[in-house]
Amino acid sequence: MPIYISYLHLLSRIISSNITTRLNIYKLNLIVTYRCNFKCKICSIWKERVQDELSLGEYEKLFSKIDVNWIDISGGEIFLREDIKDIFSLIIKTQRKLALLHFPTNGFLSDRIEDSVRYILSSSKAKLLVTVSLDGPEKVHNYIKGVNSWSRSIETYQNLKKIKDSRFNVFFGFTINTFNSDKIQETIKELRKEIADIDYSDLHINVAHASEHYYGNSPLDINTENIKNAVFGYINTRKYRLYNPVDYLEFRYHKYIGEYLRDYKTPLKCRSLINSVFIDPTGNVFPCSIFNKTIGTLKNNNYGLYKMLKSKEAESLRQEIREGRCPQCWTPCEAYQMILASLLKRRVCQA
């Protein structure tokens, strides 16, 4: 299928999300493993000991029954799955209208990461975005990650940056937390010693969140004022190309962080279980990465995700979300869909 058809299909779903709240799942947040070779201070995924991850055959059952335009694949560290390249291949073969594929990585397994990126670009016409985790200057990054990995992140980023394809972008992912909220400028300064032309736009920032069922880090202690100052300092330094879809989403995401941090309330109407859904490594289906309630497991429902999304359990959770009876968040995994469903909403709090 020509890629412009996939883009048009995604666009039609985004437009639809602005005028109706009917079930319209176009984004899948897929967690394929909790295994991780890091020991991050702000995340406890690495402590999980999950033995029954969905197999490639089970993913084949899932993907044979769905049709989505946007997939985020995450972990843990997804490249610890020996069959991750097979999972990419399965997605490419079954999701004929796929317009956007994104995955984050800690960057440690550089060769495997580069090999997969080159494979995806040679096999799919979809846009590919990769985020390499980097949470501060070298000493801070290594402390937060619990592993001396700064140089690996730099190496992976540099290797991927050499891949010249209009459908591909790689960024550093910086999660603002208690340990690094005042380190953004220092991070850029240190990065420029390794990558002379690095810019603030190459550093994609987000705010650390607590999640009982995903990160396993609830409660999470963060300093609201420090984070707010860090975000708005970054906004005032970075130049956004608002004609670029990625920059536009980031701009609005960053602008709304101040409103979120004011009272920890989601600043826009949540679209979880309407436009997006979250599946953990064992097949449990959650509204999102934060809300610790499921609508069931794929294994007990013949891997029929759409049927599960039409169930009484799913509608009950959608009602809870409408009424604000969910944990409230502003994580990019969910925020981008909210922004895209609120394109006519112009007012953005800036403090």
Side-chain angles (χ1 to χ4, degrees):
M1 178 180 295
I3 188 60
Y4 75 87
I5 298 295
S6 299
Y7 290 148
L8 288 174
H9 196 257
L10 173 57
L11 180 60
S12 70
R13 286 179 154 184
I14 291 171
I15 292 172
S16 176
S17 72
N18 280 263
I19 57 180
T20 179
T21 58
R22 67 178 178 83
L23 184 62
N24 178 22
I25 299 292
Y26 63 78
K27 185 186 179 194
L28 177 63
N29 294 311
L30 186 68
I31 313 304
V32 296
T33 187
Y34 283 143
R35 285 176 278 168
C36 191
N37 47 351
F38 283 18
K39 296 183 178 180
C40 294
K41 299 290 189 297
I42 62 168
C43 172
S44 296
I45 285 177
W46 57 273
K47 296 179 181 179
E48 293 285 340
R49 293 293 181 267
V50 176
Q51 303 297 325
D52 56 345
E53 294 174 347
L54 293 177
S55 67
L56 185 64
E58 289 176 301
Y59 280 123
E60 188 170 8
K61 293 177 183 178
L62 166 66
F63 285 117
S64 69
K65 299 179 180 181
I66 64 174
D67 176 23
V68 293
N69 304 107
W70 180 352
I71 299 179
D72 269 18
I73 302 180
S74 190
E77 174 52 41
I78 67 173
F79 289 96
L80 292 179
R81 279 197 68 136
E82 292 298 324
D83 61 352
I84 188 61
K85 195 171 177 180
D86 295 323
I87 293 175
F88 288 138
S89 177
L90 179 63
I91 289 171
I92 292 166
K93 289 177 181 177
T94 60
Q95 301 308 292
R96 308 301 295 176
K97 296 176 183 175
L98 185 68
L100 176 60
L101 178 64
H102 166 258
F103 65 80
T105 174
N106 60 32
F108 204 78
L109 301 174
S110 186
D111 290 344
R112 290 200 71 197
I113 297 164
E114 182 181 353
D115 178 64
S116 287
V117 167
R118 291 186 182 278
Y119 169 74
I120 293 167
L121 291 173
S122 68
S123 306
S124 171
K125 297 184 182 300
K127 178 77 173 178
L128 175 63
L129 300 178
V130 176
T131 309
V132 181
S133 181
L134 190 89
D135 282 346
E138 184 170 5
K139 289 183 179 179
V140 175
H141 170 89
N142 289 342
Y143 174 76
I144 293 172
K145 299 302 186 184
V147 174
N148 290 335
S149 58
W150 161 273
S151 60
R152 289 292 189 94
S153 290
I154 303 297
E155 177 188 356
T156 297
Y157 178 88
Q158 289 179 312
N159 289 347
L160 296 182
K161 201 70 176 177
K162 294 175 184 176
I163 300 175
K164 303 302 180 183
D165 192 306
S166 60
R167 297 167 297 138
F168 174 62
N169 290 106
V170 57
F171 306 96
F172 283 119
F174 187 104
T175 301
I176 301 178
N177 59 73
T178 299
F179 304 106
N180 67 5
S181 59
D182 62 343
K183 302 296 183 183
I184 295 179
Q185 289 187 349
E186 187 179 339
T187 300
I188 291 291
K189 183 178 180 180
E190 196 160 318
L191 276 172
R192 283 176 175 160
K193 296 176 183 177
E194 305 285 343
I195 309 169
D197 61 348
I198 202 77
D199 185 73
Y200 280 87
S201 62
D202 296 310
L203 193 70
H204 283 205
I205 66 169
N206 66 87
V207 177
H209 278 69
S211 172
E212 189 175 344
H213 75 86
Y214 183 29
Y215 305 122
N217 63 349
S218 183
L220 179 66
D221 179 35
I222 61 173
N223 186 307
T224 299
E225 283 305 311
N226 285 354
I227 289 178
K228 190 183 295 186
N229 291 338
V231 171
F232 289 113
Y234 171 87
I235 290 174
N236 291 332
T237 305
R238 174 176 170 175
K239 295 180 180 179
Y240 295 88
R241 301 165 301 164
L242 296 183
Y243 59 84
N244 179 286
V246 175
D247 274 24
Y248 173 80
L249 282 175
E250 289 232 320
F251 174 76
R252 295 200 70 188
Y253 170 74
H254 295 149
K255 286 290 189 177
Y256 275 113
I257 286 176
E259 188 167 333
Y260 168 70
L261 291 175
R262 187 175 59 205
D263 53 12
Y264 288 94
K265 297 292 185 182
T266 304
L268 297 172
K269 291 182 179 180
C270 183
R271 311 300 293 192
S272 296
L273 290 183
I274 297 175
N275 298 141
S276 62
V277 66
F278 176 100
I279 301 177
D280 81 1
T282 64
N284 292 310
V285 180
F286 294 85
C288 65
S289 61
I290 308 299
F291 198 5
N292 189 22
K293 288 188 178 182
T294 76
I295 62 172
T297 177
L298 292 171
K299 295 180 180 182
N300 293 337
N301 288 275
N302 196 29
Y303 304 89
L305 178 61
Y306 286 165
K307 185 176 180 180
M308 294 175 68
L309 290 166
K310 295 177 182 178
S311 67
K312 291 181 180 179
E313 291 82 1
E315 181 52 36
S316 176
L317 283 185
R318 277 192 286 269
Q319 187 59 32
E320 287 191 45
I321 293 168
R322 290 187 197 104
E323 295 172 359
R325 292 186 288 121
C326 60
Q328 305 291 299
C329 75
W330 194 238
T331 174
C333 292
E334 318 306 329
Y336 290 163
Q337 298 87 271
M338 299 184 216
I339 293 168
L340 289 171
S342 306
L343 294 177
L344 301 179
K345 182 179 174 65
R346 297 299 181 186
R347 185 189 64 82
V348 179
C349 178
Q350 299 192 31

